[in-house]
Amino acid sequence: PLRIPLLMNPLFSIASATAQLPHPAWVIPFILLLLSIAAFPLFAHAWWERNYGKVAFCLGMPTVLYYLFFLGESVPILHVVQEYISFIALIGALFVISGNIHIHVEGSSRPIANCAFLLGGGILANIIGTTGASMLLIRPWIRMNYYRINPFHIVFFIFIVSNVGGCLTPIGDPPLFLGFLAGIPFWWVLPNAFAPWAVAMTLLLAIFYVLDWRNHRRAPAQVREKQTRSESWSLDGVHNIFWLAVVLAAVFLQKPYGLREAIMVAACFGSYFTTPAKIRELNHFTFHPIQEVAILFAGIFAAMVPALQLLKVHAAAFHINTPLQYYFATGFLSAFLDNAPTYLTFLNVALGVHGLDPSLKTDVAQLVVVYPAEVLAISVASVFFGAMTYIGNGPNFMVRSIAEHAKIKMPTFGGYIFRYALPYLLPALLLIGFLQFL
């Protein structure tokens, strides 16, 4: 996805120098919301499906009221509301438009074809963003593996297409676009991030191939027979590529506020009403995934304000001053906080440590020239570690929701972390950190 800061002026920063800081106890609602997302689907799934909106409201709204009526600080809330509107306008438009494109697949994929598909999806994420690539490809991915679908198919799709793949251009993932807007040259990312991207993609695809090969070997004979037949592809709703292009072009509009979001919403409606309903029926399209993301992330965006503000003010006290330290600090928090403000927080820390002004693009450009390893560590970590949890990046939740509506039994919040992210993803990210930044 491309979540864009709406107020680039430092006066509108979540952690403005003149803002009154919240009491540390106000981090608790955010922690409780994360624990609710992790625990309730596991222990009370039916209750959670009926009440997740109430939980998000009850844990997010007190923070809003605290800032407005007790601290008297409306700027952080205004900032996060506007950032949320941009976030939901973008992923909502991409969700609807991609739902109006039907990729028809005949046949069933073998492990090597699956790896090629994931690699192509990771490359495409740099052109249309991780959200656009995820929403366009997740349904054909499920269909082509339907006869032997397993949760790891969806999890590795999240790892590669929804996160790691989009590390080569500022369009690919929100943190990189924030860096571009702040003053990092557009084409700086590709040559500098290519090595960690290539290592991450190679490791994840290799792990996936082993898992998928074993899954294929265990499949019934009739399923393996289907996979010996050649595949054929066709595309319906091709005119929606135009609407995707409109949304991506709108991303680069910074002023006036609201124009970008209005164009995205208009493209969403244009796509919906110019596409036959039959195409959405073929995709089994429903609004439930985007509804769940919109509600839960509203609570997350509100509840995380104190955590981000305290982090930004006190980050320098953590004595982070090497590329490897920036990599792990940015990565850990990007897994549980929104990776866009986490990226900005540590970019600002790096600028401050070296006596540079975050509000000056010339100073940001100087940081890139003089301390490129630190900028690269912050950039790569914020993108890669977004795959560590369902809430690390916007499309993660939507992919999971689409998979569940396709009757795929997905791992819980904790199951995703302990069964997949820690044993498969984290070792790859640790290796990249030590190889690239030690």
Side-chain angles (χ1 to χ4, degrees), residues 135-295:
M135 294 301 99
L136 181 63
L137 299 178
I138 183 56
R139 295 178 181 92
W141 174 249
I142 292 173
R143 285 193 290 269
M144 62 194 283
N145 289 284
Y146 182 78
Y147 294 103
R148 58 183 183 88
I149 196 74
N150 188 282
F152 79 80
H153 286 100
I154 309 302
V155 171
F156 273 81
F157 183 95
I158 291 174
F159 287 172
I160 295 171
V161 180
S162 303
N163 290 275
V164 172
C167 191
L168 295 181
T169 72
I171 296 175
D173 217 43
L176 305 181
F177 196 80
L178 298 186
F180 167 66
L181 293 179
I184 296 174
F186 188 96
W187 293 111
W188 179 86
V189 180
L190 178 59
N192 286 277
F194 183 80
W197 178 88
V199 173
M201 292 289 284
T202 301
L203 290 174
L204 291 175
L205 287 171
I207 295 169
F208 172 81
Y209 180 83
V210 173
L211 294 175
D212 202 34
W213 179 79
R214 292 172 58 190
N215 178 266
H216 177 255
R217 288 286 301 271
R218 290 195 299 264
Q222 60 269 29
V223 173
R224 293 198 299 272
E225 181 184 348
K226 287 178 181 293
Q227 293 173 330
T228 63
R229 304 171 188 170
S230 60
E231 298 174 12
S232 62
W233 296 69
S234 62
L235 188 66
D236 298 316
V238 68
H239 74 279
N240 284 290
I241 294 175
F242 165 76
W243 296 115
L244 281 175
V246 170
V247 171
L248 294 174
V251 162
F252 291 89
L253 297 175
Q254 297 185 48
K255 295 178 181 180
Y257 170 70
L259 176 60
R260 174 178 54 231
E261 291 72 25
I263 292 174
M264 291 176 180
V265 172
C268 176
F269 279 98
S271 170
Y272 189 86
F273 289 111
T274 60
T275 302
K278 182 180 179 180
I279 292 179
R280 290 187 289 275
E281 292 171 4
L282 291 171
N283 277 332
H284 304 288
F285 178 89
T286 74
F287 284 100
H288 182 271
I290 190 63
Q291 173 186 313
E292 183 177 15
V293 168
I295 292 173

Side-chain angles (χ1 to χ4, degrees), residues 350-396:
L351 287 161
V353 165
H354 299 298
L356 300 172
D357 188 345
S359 65
L360 298 177
K361 290 189 175 183
T362 53
D363 280 21
V364 175
Q366 182 179 344
L367 181 73
V368 172
V369 172
V370 181
Y371 304 99
E374 293 182 5
V375 178
L376 183 62
I378 295 167
S379 303
V380 169
S382 60
V383 175
F384 287 4
F385 281 82
M388 284 293 297
T389 70
Y390 280 133
I391 64 170
N393 207 3
N396 302 3

Side-chain angles (χ1 to χ4, degrees), residues 98-117:
S98 61
N100 288 322
I101 300 174
H102 177 71
I103 301 177
H104 181 70
V105 183
E106 287 285 350
S108 186
S109 279
R110 290 160 290 181
I112 191 66
N114 278 342
C115 288
F117 184 94

Side-chain angles (χ1 to χ4, degrees), residues 393-417:
N393 207 3
N396 302 3
F397 232 113
M398 299 193 336
V399 167
R400 187 196 75 164
S401 185
I402 290 172
E404 288 179 334
H405 276 73
K407 309 302 181 186
I408 301 169
K409 187 173 177 59
M410 290 296 294
T412 62
F413 186 91
Y416 177 94
I417 296 172

